[in-house]
Amino acid sequence: MTKKFQFKGIVIYQKLIKASDPTLVLFKLKLIKHPLNPIDLINQEFTALIARKALTFMYEVMVGDQILIYGHFNNKKQFITEKYLIEKRVPRSYEKVIQQLPNQKKL
């Protein structure tokens, strides 16, 4: 059984690197000061991959979002994300537009 790790940070980069099966997304986190993160890695860039629900990750997570990731390191010493949690989201442009729309009458 592989050892599992958790990290918390702000997404600073994301890229679809393989669109076929399995879809792979590469993303970088800037680790923030948090008890989950090792002290020597705070404010450092941390590169990770996600394969499970990668397209959903690309849809939900944007640069600037604060997320928590959980996963393991593979044989090539790449961090493979198994689960993620979005803690703080950057306001989306469409959300601003929706807020400006007038309220609709209920039928």
Side-chain angles (χ1 to χ4, degrees), residues 26-78:
L26 173 98
F27 64 97
K28 290 184 180 183
L29 288 181
K30 182 174 182 181
L31 298 182
I32 60 174
K33 188 174 182 180
H34 191 271
L36 291 174
N37 298 334
I39 295 171
D40 58 329
L41 292 180
I42 292 175
N43 292 326
Q44 299 289 323
E45 287 185 9
F46 183 82
T47 304
L49 293 168
I50 185 165
R52 192 177 299 158
K53 297 187 179 180
L55 294 176
T56 304
F57 179 85
M58 285 286 288
Y59 177 74
E60 292 179 342
V61 178
M62 292 180 67
V63 172
D65 288 352
Q66 183 175 315
I67 65 170
L68 180 84
I69 58 173
Y70 173 81
H72 66 277
F73 288 94
N74 66 5
N75 295 339
K76 297 178 184 177
K77 300 195 185 320
Q78 298 167 319

